[in-house]
Amino acid sequence: MPITSPSARYKGKLHTRLIPHAALLPMSLTVVFGYLATLLWTLKISLSSSRTLPVNNFVCLSQYERLFDNERWLLSLNNLAIYGVLFILACVIIGFLLAVFIDQNVTGEGVLRTIFLYPYAMSFVATGLVWQWMLTPGVGIQEGIRQLGFKDFQFDWIVDQDMVIYTIVIATVWQASGLVMAMLLAGLRGIDEDIWKAARMDGIPAWRVYLSIIIPMLAPNFATVFLLLSTAVVKLFDAVEAMTQGGPGTASEVPAKFIMDHLFGRANLSLASAGAIMMLLPVLALLIPYAYARARKGKI
């Protein structure tokens, strides 16, 4: 057996340690320059009076004051709050019920999983146009039901200023519920079968087992689902753009639509940047505690 010198062994260990770091280098550079650098640049611009092109003057928090004096921005926040609560609740409830249904070892489970998850794989720019057609009065759902004999049936939410935000909830819940189903189904499949056997022996009804045992055990899965759905709420743009373009009027305006319109349509770079920074704050408020909890769990 050949004898390896200490220096050769040290070089071998050093080489082994450097390979993983070298593999992570491209992503590290992307994070530093693609995320952190652009974040700092956006923050800098939000503190200036930049319009079409960036300028280096400093106006403190005046752009943020202008932002919260803007009725359109306040409307977009109100719409986002309504949308977010309904979207998250509906996705979690429907996704959980679908996961429970598939967990019963139903016939054609693989086909059903694919059908429920497929909408999430589709671009909402394309499917949003289909939903727009389905929800437009005179065609789609309204016309189909009228042709069945219900001549007085009315479903014009997409052109109703008070109801249009709910049409976006319907369409996006259809898209995202399958993802929630897949994530919760993975958690359900990790539940020990002995729990169910013990519950059946004690005569405990299934709903009680889910409420008192299964759902608490799935808390990490629900936390991940909540984080993903909350991030999707903050980023909401493509569904609004594809279905309503923020209308009728500004009734379905959301922060991302406000930011894009002021960035490209109104040439107000600093106000758009201020809006972008404000939308980053709730994401950080969700992500930092989640990352901290995961890090602490990993140390235990």
Side-chain angles (χ1 to χ4, degrees):
M1 182 177 181
I3 300 175
T4 306
S5 66
S7 60
R9 287 197 298 270
Y10 174 76
K11 290 180 180 179
K13 290 180 180 179
L14 182 62
H15 184 263
T16 304
R17 292 175 181 175
L18 286 176
I19 289 177
H21 291 84
L24 290 173
L25 184 60
M27 181 54 67
S28 301
L29 294 175
T30 300
V31 170
V32 172
F33 293 103
Y35 291 96
L36 296 180
T38 53
L39 170 61
L40 293 175
W41 186 85
T42 303
L43 179 61
K44 173 179 176 292
I45 294 299
S46 72
L47 300 174
S48 70
S49 60
S50 303
R51 297 289 297 185
T52 304
L53 297 174
V55 296
N56 290 323
N57 65 324
F58 179 71
V59 295
C60 197
L61 299 177
S62 62
Q63 297 298 340
Y64 293 90
E65 293 175 0
R66 288 183 58 201
L67 186 67
F68 283 94
D69 285 337
N70 191 306
E71 291 185 1
R72 186 177 170 189
W73 173 257
L74 297 178
L75 173 64
S76 71
L77 293 179
N78 181 68
N79 286 339
L80 193 68
I82 296 172
Y83 168 83
V85 171
L86 295 176
F87 171 73
I88 293 174
L89 282 177
C91 282
V92 170
I93 293 172
I94 295 174
F96 178 70
L97 293 177
L98 291 176
V100 169
F101 168 67
I102 293 181
D103 192 45
Q104 308 305 310
N105 295 319
V106 295
T107 304
E109 175 184 327
V111 176
L112 290 174
R113 281 204 313 264
T114 302
I115 291 173
F116 293 144
L117 190 57
Y118 182 71
Y120 188 75
M122 301 176 66
S123 167
F124 212 96
V125 173
T127 57
L129 296 176
V130 177
W131 274 101
Q132 181 191 54
W133 174 83
M134 290 175 59
L135 297 170
T136 298
V139 295
I141 295 174
Q142 177 177 289
E143 185 62 21
I145 294 180
R146 285 184 175 183
Q147 290 182 2
L148 294 175
F150 301 93
K151 300 299 183 180
D152 296 328
F153 179 78
Q154 189 79 11
F155 188 55
D156 59 352
W157 286 10
I158 200 168
V159 294
D160 186 333
Q161 290 189 344
D162 296 326
M163 302 301 291
V164 63
I165 194 68
Y166 303 110
T167 65
I168 298 172
V169 173
I170 293 171
T172 51
V173 166
W174 169 83
Q175 185 188 40
S177 294
L179 174 66
V180 178
M181 177 272 298
M183 297 184 68
L184 296 182
L185 180 61
L188 288 173
R189 290 292 163 84
I191 301 296
D192 193 341
E193 185 63 27
D194 290 339
I195 293 175
W196 286 107
K197 292 179 181 178
R200 283 192 291 267
M201 290 179 63
D202 293 338
I204 303 175
W207 68 267
R208 185 68 180 179
V209 178
Y210 278 110
L211 189 63
S212 301
I213 301 175
I214 303 301
I215 291 180
M217 292 180 68
L218 294 178
N221 301 77
F222 280 108
T224 302
V225 165
F226 178 75
L227 179 64
L228 292 175
L229 294 180
S230 299
T231 304
V233 168
V234 174
K235 296 191 302 181
L236 176 66
F237 172 75
D238 51 356
V240 173
E241 185 66 24
M243 291 179 62
T244 66
Q245 292 80 48
T250 57
S252 58
E253 182 85 356
V254 291
K257 181 75 166 54
F258 176 94
I259 292 167
M260 296 298 287
D261 285 353
H262 281 75
L263 183 61
F264 295 106
R266 303 194 177 201
N268 197 332
L269 186 59
S270 56
L271 191 64
S273 297
I277 293 296
M278 292 307 303
M279 296 317 297
L280 176 65
L281 297 181
V283 175
L284 293 178
L286 292 168
L287 186 59
I288 291 175
Y290 178 80
Y292 177 74
R294 290 292 297 267
R296 287 204 59 180
K297 184 179 178 181
K299 292 179 180 180
I300 297 175

